Amino acid sequence: MTDFANKIQSARYAIDELSIPVVRITKEIGVIPLVGDLDTNRAQILMENALQHGSDYKLNWLIIDLYAVPIIDTMVADQIFKVIGALRLLGIQVVLSGIRAEIAQTMVNLGLDLADITTFSSLHQAVEYVNQAD
């Protein structure tokens, strides 16, 4: 029974890790397309994947796309800011894309300060920005 439980736990971790991929689109630019709700477990995997792959790929830029994240609450926003801070310590510049009207309203209502974070409503705009800046 313990062996079966361990296999299930390993499979869940693999699924979670695959659900937060770092997609390298150029030599120096990567994208993390987030899909679905972010809970504490997935937020930790986001941190691990972003730091590991950002460093391994020697990325200068990482775009975190929030378009398919249905809800941004305090915990999710806090974790995203932690990921951005950690990536900046590695020298990786971060851009947020997929900021829909409801996400923008929630972030403002939560009192989040996005002054030093570049944001875009679409992934296409973010990619264009990063390509011009790089």
Side-chain angles (χ1 to χ4, degrees):
M1 191 67 161
T2 303
D3 187 42
F4 181 70
N6 289 338
K7 286 181 182 180
I8 289 177
Q9 185 175 1
S10 294
R12 281 187 185 144
Y13 184 80
I15 289 169
D16 285 342
E17 190 168 330
L18 291 172
S19 73
I20 304 177
V22 176
V23 180
R24 191 173 183 182
I25 58 174
T26 70
K27 183 178 178 183
E28 299 173 339
I29 302 169
V31 176
I32 298 178
L34 296 177
V35 177
D37 293 327
L38 280 178
D39 58 14
T40 306
N41 184 45
R42 286 191 74 212
Q44 181 60 37
I45 294 169
L46 168 62
M47 176 71 82
E48 292 169 5
N49 284 357
L51 294 175
Q52 182 65 44
H53 294 297
S55 179
D56 288 349
Y57 295 159
K58 297 180 178 31
L59 297 177
N60 290 336
W61 291 90
L62 189 59
I63 301 169
I64 299 176
D65 186 52
L66 302 172
Y67 184 77
V69 176
I71 297 171
I72 298 288
D73 60 12
T74 307
M75 189 283 300
V76 171
D78 181 57
Q79 190 62 36
I80 289 170
F81 283 114
K82 286 179 181 176
V83 170
I84 291 170
L87 287 166
R88 285 181 174 170
L89 288 173
L90 294 178
I92 300 171
Q93 298 181 61
V94 180
V95 173
L96 294 180
S97 69
I99 307 294
R100 302 182 318 275
E102 57 271 17
I103 289 178
Q105 184 176 9
T106 301
M107 288 180 152
V108 168
N109 288 339
L110 290 172
L112 301 176
D113 182 16
L114 298 173
D116 61 340
I117 299 173
T118 305
T119 62
F120 293 95
S121 61
S122 74
L123 180 58
H124 174 76
Q125 292 170 325
V127 170
E128 282 184 352
Y129 171 82
V130 170
N131 276 328
Q132 290 174 0
D134 198 37

